[in-house]
Amino acid sequence: MKRNIVIAVVTAAALVGGGTATALAVAGDDDDSTSVTRTDDDRDDRGEERSDDRDGDDDGAVRAAAPGDVTAAEAITAALKHTPGTAVSAELDDGSWEVDVLAEGDTWHTVRIAPDSGKVLGAQKDDEDDAAEVPAALKGASVTAEDAAKAAAAKGTVVSVDLDDDGGDKGWEAETRASGGDARDWNVDPKTASVTPDRDDD
């Protein structure tokens, strides 16, 4: 009789609290009956903790996609050591640096560099037909792609450097990311390495 009363009291208390409860009565003597109660609130708390842990994993995935220890300038240096020539662009793409090099014989090569170690992951020859435009764009220039990357690094983490050989404003373009993730575009003077905001970057 007392066991039934305990179960009824626990169930009523759970309903009054707005949740549900599971009651377990251990039968023995009526005087020794005990009950164990677990409310939905306990399960919710554990669910919230698991959700928070998953959120932390997502943050880790975002951090893993960010630039590693190898800077754009270092990636360019490593690419040119592997494939001598003129570096025309460098971009952090799909988890590696991709550096475009105009090598001897006006042949184009793309060299992939690991962002965490600086090792060459691979290289391939590309079919491009605008090789003549590169010397024209760099005529009288003293600033290399590596120099441009170093100069732009004062504005944030450089994620790309590219030679702009179109129009009258020939020179280097760089994209940086701030610690908060904001992207900015910059122009790097091919003669002085001075860095100015890109007029087209709104």
Side-chain angles (χ1 to χ4, degrees):
M1 181 66 177
K2 290 183 180 179
R3 184 169 63 248
N4 294 337
I5 294 175
V6 169
I7 294 174
V9 169
V10 170
T11 302
L15 293 176
V16 170
T20 60
T22 302
L24 174 64
V26 179
D29 294 337
D30 287 345
D31 293 339
D32 294 333
S33 297
T34 59
S35 64
V36 178
T37 304
R38 185 177 66 196
T39 66
D40 283 344
D41 291 339
D42 296 330
R43 290 192 296 272
D44 290 343
D45 290 341
R46 284 191 295 275
E48 290 175 2
E49 290 173 2
R50 287 194 295 270
S51 175
D52 292 342
D53 291 341
R54 287 193 296 270
D55 291 342
D57 292 342
D58 291 343
D59 292 341
V62 171
R63 286 193 297 272
D69 296 330
V70 177
T71 65
E74 292 169 341
I76 293 170
T77 299
L80 291 177
K81 185 176 180 180
H82 180 272
T83 306
T86 301
V88 177
S89 69
E91 181 180 10
L92 189 63
D93 185 41
D94 291 334
S96 66
W97 285 104
E98 292 188 358
V99 183
D100 290 333
V101 178
L102 180 61
E104 294 181 2
D106 290 343
T107 58
W108 287 98
H109 299 263
T110 298
V111 184
R112 294 187 300 110
I113 305 296
D116 55 348
S117 65
K119 293 181 179 180
V120 176
L121 299 175
Q124 67 181 31
K125 185 176 179 180
D126 297 326
D127 295 327
E128 298 285 349
D129 57 2
D130 58 352
E133 297 178 8
V134 173
L138 292 176
K139 185 177 181 179
S142 58
V143 176
T144 65
E146 181 181 4
D147 296 332
K150 289 179 179 179
K155 304 297 184 179
T157 300
V158 178
V159 294
S160 72
V161 177
D162 187 47
L163 178 63
D164 181 10
D165 55 10
D166 295 328
D169 295 332
K170 292 180 173 61
W172 296 104
E173 294 179 342
E175 180 182 351
T176 62
R177 294 291 173 94
S179 58
D182 295 334
R184 292 290 306 274
D185 293 327
W186 308 90
N187 293 321
V188 182
D189 190 282
K191 295 181 179 179
T192 65
S194 61
V195 181
T196 55
D198 191 329
R199 291 193 298 270
D200 296 330
D201 182 23
D202 297 329

